Amino acid sequence: MERYFMFIATCVLILHLVQAQDPTRFINVDCGLPPHESPYNALPTGLPYTSDAGLVNSGKTGIIAKEFEPNYTKPFLRLRYFPDGVRNCYSLNVTRDTSYMIKAKFVYGNYDGLKIDPNFDLYLGPNIWTTVTSNDTREEIIHVTKSNSLQVCLVKTGISIPFINVLELRPLRKTAYVTESGSFKFLFRTYFSNSGLKIRYPDDIYDREWNAFFLEKSWAQVTTNLNVNVTNNYELPQGVMATGAIPLNANATMNITWTIDPPTTKFYSYMHFAEIQTLRANDTREFNVTLNGKYSYGPYSPVPLKTETVLDVKPEQCEDGACLLQLVKTSKSTLPPLLNAIEAFTVIDFPQMETNEDDVAGIKNVQDAYGLNKTTWQGDPCVPKQFLWDGLNCNNSDISTPPTITSLDLSASGLTGIITHAIHNLTHLQKLDLSNNNLTGVIPEFLADINSLLVIDLSGNNLSGSVPPSLLQKKGMKLNADNNPHLLCTTSSCVNIGHKKKSIIVPVVASIASIAIFFIGALVLFIVLRKKKASKVEGPQSQKAIMAKNRRFTYSEVMTMTNNFQRVLGKGGFGIVYHGFVNGTEQVAVKKLSHSSSQGFKQFKAEVELLLRVHHKNLVGLVGYCEEGENLALIYEYMANGDLKEHMSGTRNRSILNWGTRLKIAVESAQGLEYLHNGCKPPMVHRDVKTTNILLNEHFEAKLADFGLSRSFLIEGQTHVSTVVAGTPGYLDPEYYRTNWLTEKSDVYSFGIVLLEITTNRPVIDQSRENPHIAEWVGLMLTKGDITSIMDPSLNGDYDSGSVWKAVELAMSCINPSSTRRPTMSQVVIELNDCLASENSRAGASRDMDSKSSIEVSLTFGTDVNPTAR
Ligand SMILES: *[C@@H]1O[C@H](CO)[C@@H](O)[C@H](O)[C@H]1NC(C)=O
Ligand SMILES: *[C@@H]1O[C@H](CO)[C@@H](O)[C@H](O)[C@H]1NC(C)=O
Ligand SMILES: *[C@@H]1O[C@H](CO)[C@@H](O)[C@H](O)[C@H]1NC(C)=O
Ligand SMILES: *[C@@H]1O[C@H](CO)[C@@H](O)[C@H](O)[C@H]1NC(C)=O
Ligand SMILES: *[C@@H]1O[C@H](CO)[C@@H](O)[C@H](O)[C@H]1NC(C)=O
Ligand SMILES: *[C@@H]1O[C@H](CO)[C@@H](O)[C@H](O)[C@H]1NC(C)=O
Ligand SMILES: *[C@@H]1O[C@H](CO)[C@@H](O)[C@H](O)[C@H]1NC(C)=O
Ligand SMILES: *[C@@H]1O[C@H](CO)[C@@H](O)[C@H](O)[C@H]1NC(C)=O
Ligand SMILES: *[C@@H]1O[C@H](CO)[C@@H](O)[C@H](O)[C@H]1NC(C)=O
Ligand SMILES: *[C@@H]1O[C@H](CO)[C@@H](O)[C@H](O)[C@H]1NC(C)=O
Ligand SMILES: *[C@@H]1O[C@H](CO)[C@@H](O)[C@H](O)[C@H]1NC(C)=O
């Protein structure tokens, strides 16, 4: 894995200086506190804690047993427990798109006298956060909110009754603690002091809780009375930065160890440094940082009385889950290494999107309007599926768009009053059932405004007035308004009113077929537009951070790196690729450009410029480059598993890629392309998409490579540019070839060919075939309707044929001769994800276990020593 440490210079905008943390934006909830005792100021923070009444509408309140009381501060003493229902949720008002540190604290304290250790799940919105198994647990996560409300849910998984004592939210600066994906789950946070004191608010303006830790046998304590400048992105407390540890033996390394379970869990560390000893003129403190013996950062010297933070911009992993972080003194250094504080987080992915925010607001308004008090009506309405609200149905087939509410059944729910206007906001509704209630008033016109709403049952109520004409005239509408004794009937289509059973079916005029097609077309377009928008919002952002690194190398460095171009990895466009090491340990691939090719030089420039600008997990990363006269080289991250072509053709002599892995590789490559097309400014066309340009790392994660031909295709409002045609025969878009007009759809074509290769494992061009080009061959085989004859025989039928059909259909639409009829890469990503999901649900019974597995952390230092100081 490549490892970058980013050096955060402590340059902070003036804006940030005046934007001091406002504790009134903290949310401090004492769960189970009676409202009449709320709020009170708690020790040790002095912050006002409030009751949870109004944040949750279920559960009972409890209090921890007397003997535990002396060991805890007031917010811990009360708790709320949830004997009823499976999922119970807190709903908190937050600010959308804000990074929050969320802390949830659980002290069992034998509140129920049963002495049963807890065991239940904690969810954040629709996604699992962790499993609570200890009788004294503190969970913390740093999470960016997607909407203005946040659901914290407790889920019963066995006999154990979920409970919670304290819930705390602190908004953070958004530029601090940034993950590549997912959210940060707290692993540890410690400062190096033998005082044993815990530091939190008000010393820490964000109320991070710092545990003191010290190894008396190995370390010496250093402290300063002087003020340390803590102005950087992390705004650490004085008390944390004014103390530090150095090894007792001046030549020893400073070792910090911890274990991570499961071992593959990725984590990020943040080390905070400041020089707090007074250095003499001939003193130097300089050290390197290594992780499990591998170089990761340095040489580094802490700056006198000024805080600097060294952090991972990419997640790390430790072999076997045992991590050893070392600060190693360099030869130049006269002083031992010094460390003031360190934090670490693991990454948890939150794959499930929250339900469409407007739909959530709409259904909550419906809930309020009718005072509905159903046990399942808590948390996210649609997801996860097993907690779908009673009476709802949702569209959540597509994991990359928020689920929407498509059907609402409130029949026989004792509703009274009018048909609430809140339903108007459920704009994705297709079916509405309000039958057998006691609703009064008229049938509102707005029901006709909800475009997709075509099935309405209002029978068995007390509605009056007449059916609005707009409803009656709506095409395809099925409305049942039977058994509303006071309902008048004004139009001819309403003659059925007296009948017992029959519903009002609005006649559909004339050419049903053409209208239906129009509607389907409009619907598809609508869905497509929406999806496009959604995936754009979700698109990864470029990481400015890496740009800070100096990545220009000299030619002699390149020679050292590759041990004089010793080991050839392969041949890329315009040059040979060699294996190398940066900093002695980090593996890289070095492409050395062959001399004297002006075309090669242009491509080199194009690639450096592109790769310095864009960063995406599915684009191969640029570690650096060398430009020294004639000598040009590009240094990439090392992709241990070579290219996709080798794996398809079996030249790598490895086990064949199964269908699921192939789809995953396709999804990842598609995401890379999608990013080039939609995430980059200006957007780019790769122009040379093919299986040899899809590289695989040691985890078989796919990344696109070779951007030498890439071009921007949007110039001042144009949708395409005219260029000299370039690309690889077989993959080249015939329309582009014909017209010279370059658009992103040329990549879509090439990607379609890649998909066909992945599916069939046949050569793109094979002159010995009757139909040499793979597209023609597949087209011919498809007319025979037999998927097995197309599919790679070496898979032995081990695949979900639905997903294969879908993938082949997708590939065929990508290679449509007319570029305008090809899907966009965003649509391709969505479709492929569907294929992958259906293949995985066929293949994966073991996945259920994964989602449950918790991360256990045991620190060889820094335990929660002093509960009273919480
Ligand atoms: C602390 O550091 C910041 C950023 O380098 C600087 O702007 C500020 O003036 C410093 N404060 C003091 C008191 O030196
Ligand atoms: C309370 O804390 C003290 C000191 O940490 C410990 O000895 C005692 O066992 C704790 N009491 C309970 C009931 O946990
Ligand atoms: C949350 O916000 C809603 C609407 O903005 C408001 O009605 C409600 O009172 C707020 N709840 C709390 C606990 O602040
Ligand atoms: C947690 O469990 C341990 C061992 O069963 C017990 O000693 C301790 O007092 C319990 N603490 C709380 C807060 O329930
Ligand atoms: C540290 O190493 C230097 C050079 O190798 C040696 O001269 C010195 O005695 C060592 N100091 C200690 C405390 O071991
Ligand atoms: C740190 O670990 C190294 C082994 O990697 C060991 O040789 C050294 O003694 C340790 N230093 C301390 C201070 O424990
Ligand atoms: C550094 O200078 C001090 C005097 O200022 C002297 O005592 C000390 O021996 C010097 N140390 C080294 C390593 O040269
Ligand atoms: C520290 O890192 C630098 C730069 O990679 C390297 O040259 C040096 O040998 C390293 N020193 C030690 C003691 O590891
Ligand atoms: C919901 O029902 C529970 C008991 O079933 C009751 O205690 C609670 O007050 C009700 N809430 C509302 C808002 O009616
Ligand atoms: C519907 O949504 C709009 C915008 O989100 C909001 O202003 C309005 O109050 C909502 N109406 C109802 C009845 O919920
Ligand atoms: C329906 O509501 C009306 C008026 O609110 C009331 O008179 C009637 O008894 C209710 N009927 C039922 C079945 O609840």
Side-chain angles (χ1 to χ4, degrees):
M1 277 302 279
E2 81 265 53
R3 172 178 306 120
Y4 297 104
F5 264 71
M6 185 179 66
F7 172 76
I8 294 281
T10 48
C11 60
V12 176
L13 294 175
I14 297 299
L15 186 71
H16 285 141
L17 289 174
V18 291
Q19 210 183 49
Q21 184 58 36
D22 172 11
T24 59
R25 291 182 63 213
F26 285 5
I27 297 174
N28 317 303
V29 184
D30 178 343
C31 305
L33 179 75
H36 68 265
E37 285 183 33
S38 169
Y40 66 89
N41 291 327
L43 291 173
T45 59
L47 292 168
Y49 279 68
T50 54
S51 159
D52 60 353
L55 303 178
V56 61
N57 54 22
S58 54
K60 297 184 170 147
T61 61
I63 187 157
I64 65 171
K66 266 268 177 305
E67 73 254 37
F68 293 100
E69 270 184 21
N71 284 17
Y72 295 96
T73 55
K74 185 164 177 188
F76 290 90
L77 305 184
R78 310 252 183 190
L79 53 84
R80 181 175 292 272
Y81 64 100
F82 299 94
D84 301 317
V86 177
R87 175 174 72 163
N88 289 278
C89 299
Y90 280 81
S91 175
L92 301 154
N93 285 352
V94 292
T95 312
R96 177 209 309 270
D97 205 25
T98 302
S99 178
Y100 279 91
M101 175 167 66
I102 304 164
K103 300 192 263 185
K105 300 176 179 179
F106 309 86
V107 171
Y108 171 60
N110 200 19
Y111 75 90
D112 53 4
L114 297 174
K115 296 195 172 154
I116 297 174
D117 276 351
N119 194 336
F120 55 85
D121 286 344
L122 184 63
Y123 276 69
L124 203 54
N127 292 291
I128 187 153
W129 168 359
T130 190
T131 300
V132 175
T133 52
S134 149
N135 62 7
D136 186 347
T137 310
R138 204 198 84 120
E139 292 295 340
E140 179 190 311
I141 194 167
I142 296 176
H143 178 73
V144 178
T145 48
K146 309 269 185 315
S147 73
N148 286 327
S149 87
L150 182 79
Q151 314 288 326
V152 176
C153 302
L154 295 98
V155 174
K156 206 189 271 181
T157 53
I159 55 159
S160 164
I161 291 175
F163 65 86
I164 181 166
N165 305 58
V166 181
L167 202 48
E168 295 167 334
L169 270 71
R170 281 83 177 87
L172 301 179
R173 185 182 274 184
K174 215 180 159 194
T175 51
Y177 306 112
V178 180
T179 73
E180 218 175 26
S181 70
S183 296
F184 270 151
K185 184 172 186 297
F186 174 85
L187 190 57
F188 57 85
R189 172 179 295 126
T190 191
Y191 75 110
F192 296 98
S193 159
N194 54 18
S195 68
L197 293 176
K198 188 161 179 160
I199 294 181
R200 61 179 291 192
Y201 188 85
D203 297 318
D204 188 311
I205 57 169
Y206 295 113
D207 195 23
R208 285 163 294 198
E209 296 175 39
W210 297 90
N211 285 308
F213 174 67
F214 208 74
L215 286 176
E216 300 283 357
K217 282 188 187 147
S218 317
W219 297 347
Q221 173 93 71
V222 290
T223 57
T224 181
N225 293 325
L226 299 172
N227 210 43
V228 180
N229 187 342
V230 295
T231 309
N232 81 353
N233 220 1
Y234 301 90
E235 297 174 281
L236 299 155
Q238 248 333 294
V240 165
M241 292 311 296
T243 146
I246 56 174
L248 272 176
N249 176 338
N251 287 341
T253 61
M254 173 119 185
N255 298 352
I256 292 151
T257 62
W258 65 89
T259 60
I260 290 190
D261 191 36
T264 51
T265 307
K266 294 182 170 169
F267 72 93
Y268 287 77
S269 70
Y270 288 74
M271 282 174 279
H272 308 288
F273 297 101
E275 180 58 76
I276 50 173
Q277 283 188 310
T278 316
L279 303 192
R280 291 171 304 191
N282 57 4
D283 277 340
T284 316
R285 192 195 304 282
E286 192 188 78
F287 49 86
N288 286 348
V289 181
T290 66
L291 181 66
N292 287 3
K294 277 185 163 183
Y295 168 91
S296 58
Y297 188 75
Y300 174 70
S301 298
V303 180
L305 300 178
K306 198 154 156 31
T307 305
E308 289 186 332
T309 299
V310 171
L311 58 95
D312 297 313
V313 290
K314 298 220 168 199
E316 305 274 10
Q317 265 175 294
C318 297
E319 211 170 295
D320 303 330
C323 301
L324 169 63
L325 185 79
Q326 288 177 303
L327 306 186
V328 187
K329 185 178 145 186
T330 64
S331 49
K332 196 174 140 194
S333 184
T334 60
L335 297 172
L338 162 72
L339 179 58
N340 306 68
I342 181 167
E343 297 171 90
F345 304 91
T346 59
V347 182
I348 18 180
D349 284 319
F350 282 164
Q352 177 63 62
M353 292 188 91
E354 292 169 21
T355 298
N356 176 293
E357 199 181 347
D358 294 335
D359 282 8
V360 174
I363 195 72
K364 283 198 173 145
N365 286 337
V366 172
Q367 183 178 21
D368 291 347
Y370 292 125
L372 289 169
N373 192 0
K374 302 186 176 214
T375 49
T376 60
W377 281 42
Q378 302 187 39
D380 194 291
C382 296
V383 281
K385 255 184 200 150
Q386 69 267 34
F387 301 128
L388 176 71
W389 287 11
D390 239 12
L392 296 195
N393 250 320
C394 296
N395 177 2
N396 56 353
S397 53
D398 172 3
I399 57 161
S400 60
T401 51
T404 53
I405 299 173
T406 54
S407 144
L408 172 61
D409 177 359
L410 288 175
S411 59
S413 300
L415 308 186
T416 57
I418 60 166
I419 295 177
T420 172
H421 195 260
I423 290 171
H424 198 175
N425 277 15
L426 296 174
T427 51
H428 305 96
L429 220 49
Q430 296 164 5
K431 204 174 155 196
L432 174 67
D433 187 350
L434 299 174
S435 61
N436 302 316
N437 286 297
N438 198 358
L439 294 168
T440 52
V442 298
I443 298 177
E445 291 227 19
F446 70 73
L447 291 179
D449 300 345
I450 305 173
N451 284 334
S452 51
L453 181 56
L454 292 176
V455 181
I456 303 179
D457 191 348
L458 303 173
S459 60
N461 280 292
N462 255 325
L463 298 166
S464 51
S466 55
V467 179
S470 52
L471 261 189
L472 289 173
Q473 281 151 22
K474 192 164 170 182
K475 313 275 185 300
M477 171 64 71
K478 282 179 107 182
L479 171 71
N480 183 353
D482 286 358
N483 296 327
N484 281 285
H486 306 294
L487 197 61
L488 298 176
C489 200
T490 50
T491 66
S492 56
S493 58
C494 204
V495 289
N496 297 317
I497 202 99
H499 292 232
K500 271 266 150 353
K501 206 64 212 119
K502 203 156 176 229
S503 50
I504 304 165
I505 298 180
V506 179
V508 175
V509 267
S511 150
I512 300 173
S514 67
I515 288 171
I517 286 168
F518 169 77
F519 262 83
I520 292 167
L523 191 70
V524 167
L525 188 67
F526 175 65
I527 292 169
V528 162
L529 288 174
R530 276 198 46 243
K531 285 181 178 174
K532 191 170 173 182
K533 199 172 148 213
S535 60
K536 244 191 188 141
V537 174
E538 277 301 295
Q541 285 143 24
S542 77
Q543 272 179 304
K544 276 182 257 126
I546 296 168
M547 302 289 285
K549 239 181 102 129
N550 182 2
R551 300 198 290 179
R552 189 162 176 163
F553 290 80
T554 63
Y555 190 62
S556 71
E557 281 174 323
V558 173
M559 299 219 292
T560 317
M561 203 181 278
T562 55
N563 199 6
N564 232 340
F565 303 107
Q566 198 181 33
R567 188 174 142 207
V568 175
L569 290 174
K571 196 168 175 321
F574 298 93
I576 295 175
V577 182
Y578 299 90
H579 182 264
F581 286 103
V582 187
N583 308 320
T585 51
E586 185 186 342
Q587 295 193 76
V588 288
V590 179
K591 180 158 82 181
K592 183 172 169 241
L593 269 80
S594 31
H595 297 285
S596 70
S597 149
S598 71
Q599 188 60 24
F601 182 71
K602 246 165 102 184
Q603 295 200 3
F604 168 84
K605 279 289 206 199
E607 185 149 12
V608 171
E609 272 158 27
L610 180 88
L611 285 177
L612 282 176
R613 205 154 54 74
V614 305
H615 295 281
H616 185 273
K617 64 179 195 303
N618 300 120
L619 303 180
V620 73
L622 189 69
V623 175
Y625 64 98
C626 163
E627 186 185 356
E628 213 177 84
E630 288 263 270
N631 295 314
L632 307 175
L634 287 161
I635 300 137
Y636 307 96
E637 64 179 308
Y638 178 62
M639 300 294 286
N641 276 310
D643 69 49
L644 177 58
K645 175 90 171 210
E646 294 173 283
H647 286 277
M648 296 308 304
S649 62
T651 48
R652 237 186 139 85
N653 195 25
R654 281 169 195 262
S655 57
I656 60 151
L657 299 173
N658 66 28
W659 177 236
T661 308
R662 293 183 197 196
L663 282 174
K664 186 178 147 281
I665 290 168
V667 168
E668 289 166 349
S669 326
Q671 282 167 347
L673 272 182
E674 204 256 350
Y675 175 67
L676 284 179
H677 295 173
N678 299 332
C680 288
K681 279 204 180 78
M684 305 294 298
V685 188
H686 185 284
R687 290 215 297 173
D688 204 10
V689 176
K690 54 184 176 183
T691 41
T692 47
N693 281 343
I694 294 172
L695 304 185
L696 303 171
N697 71 8
E698 71 270 37
H699 306 300
F700 282 90
E701 285 158 354
K703 300 187 187 218
L704 283 178
D706 216 330
F707 303 88
L709 295 179
S710 300
R711 287 285 177 283
S712 164
F713 67 95
L714 267 182
I715 298 177
E716 285 167 331
Q718 281 185 299
T719 55
H720 48 210
V721 291
S722 183
T723 65
V724 178
V725 172
T728 302
Y731 295 90
L732 194 58
D733 170 14
E735 189 183 275
Y736 169 47
Y737 187 72
R738 229 179 29 247
T739 62
N740 290 10
W741 283 120
L742 177 66
T743 73
E744 81 277 23
K745 292 291 181 68
S746 295
D747 281 350
V748 176
Y749 179 90
S750 311
F751 186 78
I753 300 295
V754 168
L755 265 184
L756 292 181
E757 255 185 293
I758 291 179
T759 317
T760 62
N761 196 10
R762 312 244 169 190
V764 173
I765 295 174
D766 180 354
Q767 296 297 353
S768 68
R769 271 195 307 242
E770 195 180 335
N771 294 285
H773 192 264
I774 193 167
E776 295 165 351
W777 181 78
V778 172
L780 181 75
M781 300 309 275
L782 275 180
T783 58
K784 299 178 182 164
D786 180 11
I787 205 81
T788 49
S789 63
I790 296 173
M791 201 60 184
D792 180 359
S794 54
L795 288 171
N796 289 324
D798 187 16
Y799 44 76
D800 167 54
S801 55
S803 70
V804 173
W805 269 113
K806 202 164 174 184
V808 172
E809 274 167 18
L810 180 63
M812 294 312 278
S813 71
C814 290
I815 59 172
N816 193 302
S818 162
S819 64
T820 54
R821 305 178 77 162
R822 296 173 200 154
T824 63
M825 282 317 293
S826 314
Q827 290 165 269
V828 171
V829 169
I830 290 165
E831 296 291 325
L832 280 175
N833 266 319
D834 280 353
C835 296
L836 183 57
S838 61
E839 168 64 14
N840 281 348
S841 65
R842 179 194 69 92
S846 60
R847 276 181 318 144
D848 287 339
M849 278 164 56
D850 287 352
S851 67
K852 270 286 166 62
S853 72
S854 65
I855 299 166
E856 265 178 42
V857 179
S858 72
L859 296 174
T860 54
F861 66 98
T863 52
D864 235 348
V865 263
N866 188 6
T868 27
R870 277 160 191 268

